[in-house]
Amino acid sequence: MDTPAAPPPDLFLADDGYPAPAGVARRPAGSTESVRANRRWWDAAAPAYLAEHGSDLGDVDFLWCPEGLREAEAHLLGEVAGRRVLEVGCGSAPCSRWLRREGADVVAFDLSGGMLARAAELNRATGIDVPLLQADVGALPLASGSVDVACSAFGGLPFVADVEAALAEVARVLRPGGRFVASVNHPMRWPLPDSPDPEDLRVVSSYFDRTPYVETDEDGRAVYVEHHRTVGDWVRAVVGAGLVLDDLLEPEWTPGRTQQWGQWSPARGALVPGTLIVVCGKPA
């Protein structure tokens, strides 16, 4: 599987290295627009994102969420040695390299060529060669029933417009009896300010408003799109894809962990959840 070279950023970058939007809106955004916008954004943002968070993510590690839950302790995927595992939205692929080190046969994919270019560099640096694939979760280039386990650690599902179709694709490639675990932004973060300070905890929008958050360029074109779903929406999407929901986890902040990720912080994490993890399986 060939890994695309990192494309040159075609978005204006702020001093922190992240794309600087010309405007922000709450408006509808479909699958085509969301895919195009988020591929561009992550291609441009990959260096800044990994410079900021790469040390916490590690090169060969499986971090489920900013709260610090790691697969080495959580064992949400079960035994992975000898199993074929698909990582959805792998980014720089530290989770996939960890899985490969644990004996899994791994395939990692991401929408962003920029992220995959860094993943390829880290494959070479670590000596752990994980196959990398550029793909959209809405149309996986894998055979039906070809995967034992699928996972997604904050791997792009909040950016997907049609998450029902995406989960149906994951269910399609899973073998009967297969397992899927995904961590996403907790729906409760949507109506609250994007701040790590507990003093800022106040409801500023409706939890039930599913209108996407869209950042735009000077011409009004979307350059970043994030989609909100309630807890109930996630449950219905999982069940609608033909999967069985085994558990819903809301990880608490790991004691002694001081790392801050955007609005995720120890002080805020002590009060409200920041991550939702769905644990599900495909009926045998």
Side-chain angles (χ1 to χ4, degrees), residues 71 75-83 85 102-104 148-149 179:
E71 178 60 15
H75 305 294
L76 300 181
L77 301 178
E79 179 58 53
V80 297
R83 294 192 167 189
V85 181
E102 295 297 306
D148 298 303
V149 179
R179 192 172 185 81

Side-chain angles (χ1 to χ4, degrees), residues 1-6 108 112-121 123-124 129-134:
M1 300 178 183
D2 294 330
T3 304
S112 167
M115 280 293 189
L116 290 173
R118 179 57 178 155
E121 292 174 2
N123 278 357
R124 292 188 290 269
D129 189 18
V130 171
L132 303 170
L133 181 65
Q134 187 170 20

Side-chain angles (χ1 to χ4, degrees), residues 141-158:
L142 297 172
S144 299
S146 62
V147 171
D148 298 303
V149 179
C151 59
S152 183
F154 270 77
L157 291 179

Side-chain angles (χ1 to χ4, degrees), residues 66-100:
E67 287 83 359
L69 183 68
R70 283 178 157 79
E71 178 60 15
E73 292 79 37
H75 305 294
L76 300 181
L77 301 178
E79 179 58 53
V80 297
R83 294 192 167 189
R84 192 167 196 232
V85 181
L86 173 68
E87 184 179 5
V88 177
C90 66
S92 60
C95 298
S96 284
R97 282 186 292 275
W98 183 89
L99 289 164
R100 183 71 189 91

Side-chain angles (χ1 to χ4, degrees), residues 83-199:
R83 294 192 167 189
R84 192 167 196 232
V85 181
L86 173 68
E87 184 179 5
V88 177
C90 66
S92 60
C95 298
S96 284
R97 282 186 292 275
W98 183 89
L99 289 164
R100 183 71 189 91
R101 191 181 64 186
E102 295 297 306
D105 174 18
V106 186
V107 175
F109 82 88
D110 201 276
L111 185 66
S112 167
M115 280 293 189
L116 290 173
R118 179 57 178 155
E121 292 174 2
L122 289 173
N123 278 357
R124 292 188 290 269
T126 61
I128 301 176
D129 189 18
V130 171
L132 303 170
L133 181 65
Q134 187 170 20
D136 176 7
V137 68
L140 295 175
L142 297 172
S144 299
S146 62
V147 171
D148 298 303
V149 179
C151 59
S152 183
F154 270 77
L157 291 179
F159 306 108
V160 175
D162 190 350
V163 77
E164 292 81 5
L167 293 181
E169 269 291 271
V170 172
R172 179 185 65 79
V173 302
L174 277 176
R175 65 164 176 79
R179 192 172 185 81
F180 176 54
V181 184
S183 59
V184 297
N185 301 330
H186 196 288
M188 272 304 299
R189 73 181 286 272
W190 192 259
L192 303 174
D194 194 11
S195 166
D197 189 345
E199 296 298 322

